Amino acid sequence: MQCSWKAVLLLALASVAIQYTAIRTFTAKSLRACPGLAEAGLAGRLCEEGPTAAYNLSRRTHVLILATTRSGSSFVGQLLNQHLDVFYLFEPLYHVQNALIPRFTQSRSPSDRRVMLGASRDLLRSLYDCDLHFLENYIKPPPVNHTTDRVFRRGASRGLCSRPVCDAPGPADLALEEGDCVRKCGLLNLTVAAAACRDRSHVAIKTVRVPEVSDLRALVEDPRLNLKVIQLVRDPRGILASRSETFRDTYRLWRLWHGTGRRPYNLDATQLTTVCEDFANSVSTGLTRPPWLKGKYMLVRYEDLARSPMKKTEEIYGFLGIPLDRHVVRWIQNNTRADPAAGKHKYGTVRNSAAMAEKWRFRLSYDMVAFAQSACQRVLAQLGYRAAASEAELRDPSVSLVEERDFRPFS
């Protein structure tokens, strides 16, 4: 079949128009970083050189804490949140899950996973660019005039609970406690919050809603970002014990097993095995050191952080290339030596960190531990967690179930 020269010309013009529109859209979004550099006198030159040059030379570090529920991620998040040059967001992907797939945590279908991950990557990319307005697409009910009281766990973010975002009375550098933040700060203005984000040198985000580091490859390889991933892992036996205590209804059958000594026939073992599979797959990717993760990935065991919080925090900041400040040091001193009874909130961070890391050994029956060890054998070996050979060994605190391992960042 032959085409007329007019048809060929129209197709060519249409192709040029589509490419032009795509380039303009990409450039417009990327150049938003340029005005923020004006104070340093670099905006004109960098914008002339292109958006990628402007963004990379800004030296902003983007951090993602990749974790799972009850693995110590709130604690690790606070190690970054306390730094005055870091703008930290606690679980913004909660809004994606809640808006698109409310029951995603119970669903393992490939289609649900694709929808969730695609939307999550788009939101993360926008948030790292301090475009907090993009979050409005997922907040229910929608914000009015860019103000809302529905941002999940706003109080866990220092940047959202201090001036200029919060006008509560007090010293300018005072960050309110989580409960006081929600009560005293009033509605959150996302436009003001976005400006506060741009004033910080770095952006950090914590999430338990991305299963594996390979799901982040598109972001890690994005030249507009300087993304570094901290993968936090914890002994699955400890995660199981913590979830059973915290999410009592969801883990009712596990609690019934502990109480009666008999394993329920309808126990949902995927509540444990899913964690182990995701850990094993993600850690396998990280430890094989693929080129796309070079300089971008650090594996952190919660147990190592709990035993030596200051030493491990220094290693984390060294990996990120961010100077450690006194606010972080002071927070560690105040939050890792406390009486465990002082930290009753399920997402609290006040604790005797070393004691908390071992507490699961006295919360689970040996039958439950043996079941977990069998189901999670692969990841336990990968991460250096020893199996307890008997109940006596399990309960003996002088016997360590954590091997000495040196998981150095891939650089």
Side-chain angles (χ1 to χ4, degrees), residues 56-339:
N56 286 345
L57 289 181
S58 71
R59 305 300 298 172
R60 170 168 289 202
T61 298
H62 304 100
V63 186
L64 185 68
I65 301 169
L66 179 65
T68 192
T69 310
R70 309 309 297 170
S71 63
S73 59
S74 295
F75 179 78
V76 176
Q78 288 303 313
L79 297 178
L80 295 171
N81 185 41
Q82 299 303 315
H83 198 295
L84 295 187
D85 286 336
V86 174
F87 189 84
Y88 172 71
L89 292 173
F90 180 102
E91 291 293 347
L93 299 188
Y94 164 86
H95 294 286
V96 177
Q97 175 182 313
N98 198 46
L100 298 183
I101 313 170
R103 295 185 59 81
F104 179 77
T105 51
Q106 283 76 43
S107 171
R108 299 289 293 175
S109 76
S111 59
D112 282 355
R113 179 185 173 108
R114 284 194 297 271
V115 169
M116 176 72 180
L117 290 176
S120 295
R121 284 189 290 261
D122 288 344
L123 178 58
L124 288 172
R125 186 179 281 107
S126 295
L127 294 178
Y128 283 129
D129 199 26
C130 292
D131 181 4
L132 271 63
H133 294 141
F134 196 83
L135 185 61
E136 296 183 29
N137 296 312
Y138 301 104
I139 296 176
K140 307 299 179 184
V144 177
N145 295 326
H146 305 302
T147 61
T148 180
D149 62 352
R150 297 301 180 94
V151 170
F152 180 61
R153 296 287 306 279
R154 169 192 179 180
S157 170
R158 185 186 186 101
L160 300 181
C161 296
S162 57
R163 295 179 184 172
V165 182
C166 174
D167 290 329
D173 63 345
L174 176 66
L176 297 171
E177 294 294 328
E178 182 162 354
D180 291 335
C181 173
V182 174
R183 181 166 51 87
K184 295 181 179 181
C185 290
L187 295 176
L188 174 63
N189 186 311
L190 292 170
T191 301
V192 176
C197 174
R198 289 190 290 271
D199 284 340
R200 302 289 180 99
S201 301
H202 315 285
V203 179
I205 296 173
K206 189 265 284 194
T207 185
V208 297
R209 291 170 169 84
V210 175
E212 302 173 22
V213 69
S214 58
D215 296 319
L216 300 168
R217 181 168 180 172
L219 294 180
V220 172
E221 293 185 320
D222 191 329
R224 294 167 294 176
L225 301 179
N226 177 27
L227 181 62
K228 298 200 173 187
V229 180
I230 299 171
Q231 176 160 21
L232 177 68
V233 295
R234 184 184 183 183
D235 190 322
R237 298 165 294 187
I239 291 174
L240 175 61
S242 183
R243 288 184 178 182
S244 298
E245 184 69 22
T246 305
F247 309 119
R248 301 173 74 90
D249 290 340
T250 305
Y251 283 75
R252 181 180 59 83
L253 294 179
W254 293 92
R255 295 176 59 80
L256 182 63
W257 184 359
H258 184 272
T260 64
R262 294 190 300 273
R263 178 176 142 194
Y265 74 93
N266 55 341
L267 181 77
D268 183 4
T270 63
Q271 291 174 319
L272 171 67
T273 58
T274 296
V275 172
C276 297
E277 290 170 5
D278 287 344
F279 271 180
N281 293 336
S282 192
V283 169
S284 294
T285 299
L287 295 185
T288 55
R289 301 193 164 197
W292 61 274
L293 274 182
K294 185 174 184 180
K296 303 288 188 177
Y297 178 82
M298 180 179 186
L299 179 66
V300 176
R301 291 191 305 190
Y302 169 70
E303 292 79 10
D304 295 331
L305 183 62
R307 289 186 298 187
S308 305
M310 195 64 243
K311 177 177 180 292
K312 206 65 189 177
T313 300
E314 290 173 349
E315 291 178 9
I316 290 172
Y317 272 91
F319 161 69
L320 297 176
I322 301 174
L324 188 62
D325 77 4
R326 59 185 176 86
H327 296 86
V328 179
V329 174
R330 185 170 59 200
W331 187 90
I332 291 173
Q333 293 171 343
N334 293 337
N335 287 269
T336 60
R337 304 172 185 174
D339 180 350

